[in-house]
Amino acid sequence: MAKAQAVVPIRAQIADILRSDIISGELAAGSRLREENLAKQFGVSRGPVRDVLLQLSKEGLLVSKPNCGVTVAEAPNDMMQELLVELRRIIEYRAADMLVGKLSNADVTALEKILEQLGKALDDGDFTEATKIDISFHRYLIELAAWTRSRDAVGAYRAAHAHELQADHEFQASS
């Protein structure tokens, strides 16, 4: 039986293409991006393009200014780059600490698959793809940690709520 192909939403496809073009330098810093042109280029309405431009702006790859449009962001200066690397390191160390002993076999397999893809991209000399894969690896770790923390917080909330309900029930029973 043939392995099912994952369906990638059009927004994700457009975001990946634009992200790759920005990372590779094909879209230079300061380049203006127009919704109408991108919609025509990708054969979609302006809605998905608008969503992608917003997403890439949140990622810091684009800059959106009211009444001025959207442009490719300038690379951060050396001082800002050092600060961003340090912040990323702190966040990722914290995420790794949170995940110790909590990764499932599926999580480990997914991370190993990402690392295999990264190795292949580097072996092929495709540094744009390697950069995208590296970003996905780090994002996956952060999302796992956030999910783990959220799950732990929900569990703690449920336990606290159960104790409140139990105390309330005991209070009502004694009244």
Side-chain angles (χ1 to χ4, degrees), residues 21-22 27-33 60-63 70-75:
D21 289 350
I22 293 167
L27 282 173
S31 297
R32 187 161 186 219
L33 302 180
L61 294 173
L62 301 176
V63 176
V70 177
T71 57
V72 176
E74 298 286 334

Side-chain angles (χ1 to χ4, degrees), residues 20-74:
S20 292
D21 289 350
I22 293 167
I23 291 170
S24 71
E26 189 172 321
L27 282 173
S31 297
R32 187 161 186 219
L33 302 180
R34 300 180 56 85
E35 282 181 22
E36 307 85 27
N37 296 348
L38 292 171
K40 186 179 284 188
Q41 175 185 339
F42 292 112
V44 297
S45 68
R46 289 173 54 182
V49 170
R50 188 176 306 116
D51 293 343
V52 167
L53 295 178
L54 177 63
Q55 174 188 340
L56 295 177
S57 294
K58 288 179 180 178
E59 291 178 17
L61 294 173
L62 301 176
V63 176
S64 178
K65 294 181 182 175
N67 302 319
C68 293
V70 177
T71 57
V72 176
E74 298 286 334

Side-chain angles (χ1 to χ4, degrees), residues 8-156:
V8 180
I10 190 68
R11 284 175 177 82
Q13 293 177 40
I14 295 170
D16 283 345
I17 291 167
L18 291 177
R19 192 179 291 110
S20 292
D21 289 350
I22 293 167
I23 291 170
S24 71
E26 189 172 321
L27 282 173
S31 297
R32 187 161 186 219
L33 302 180
R34 300 180 56 85
E35 282 181 22
E36 307 85 27
N37 296 348
L38 292 171
K40 186 179 284 188
Q41 175 185 339
F42 292 112
V44 297
S45 68
R46 289 173 54 182
V49 170
R50 188 176 306 116
D51 293 343
V52 167
L53 295 178
L54 177 63
Q55 174 188 340
L56 295 177
S57 294
K58 288 179 180 178
E59 291 178 17
L61 294 173
L62 301 176
V63 176
S64 178
K65 294 181 182 175
N67 302 319
C68 293
V70 177
T71 57
V72 176
E74 298 286 334
N77 63 35
D78 289 344
M79 188 175 86
M80 183 59 75
Q81 184 65 29
E82 286 179 33
L83 176 63
L84 292 172
V85 168
E86 181 64 16
L87 288 172
R88 181 175 162 186
R89 186 186 65 77
I90 290 168
I91 291 167
E92 290 175 358
Y93 278 167
R94 178 71 177 122
D97 283 345
M98 291 172 63
L99 293 172
V100 170
K102 295 184 179 181
L103 290 177
S104 69
N105 289 338
D107 295 331
V108 172
T109 301
L111 288 167
E112 287 173 344
K113 182 177 178 185
I114 294 171
L115 291 174
E116 286 173 17
Q117 293 169 344
L118 178 59
K120 182 179 181 328
L122 290 171
D123 289 345
D124 294 345
D126 188 346
F127 299 110
T128 300
E129 185 64 16
T131 300
K132 287 173 33 183
I133 294 168
D134 180 63
I135 290 167
S136 73
F137 176 82
H138 293 277
R139 184 174 289 153
Y140 189 82
L141 279 177
I142 298 301
E143 289 172 0
L144 276 176
W147 167 246
T148 299
R149 184 162 184 136
S150 297
R151 190 178 52 218
D152 291 349
V154 167

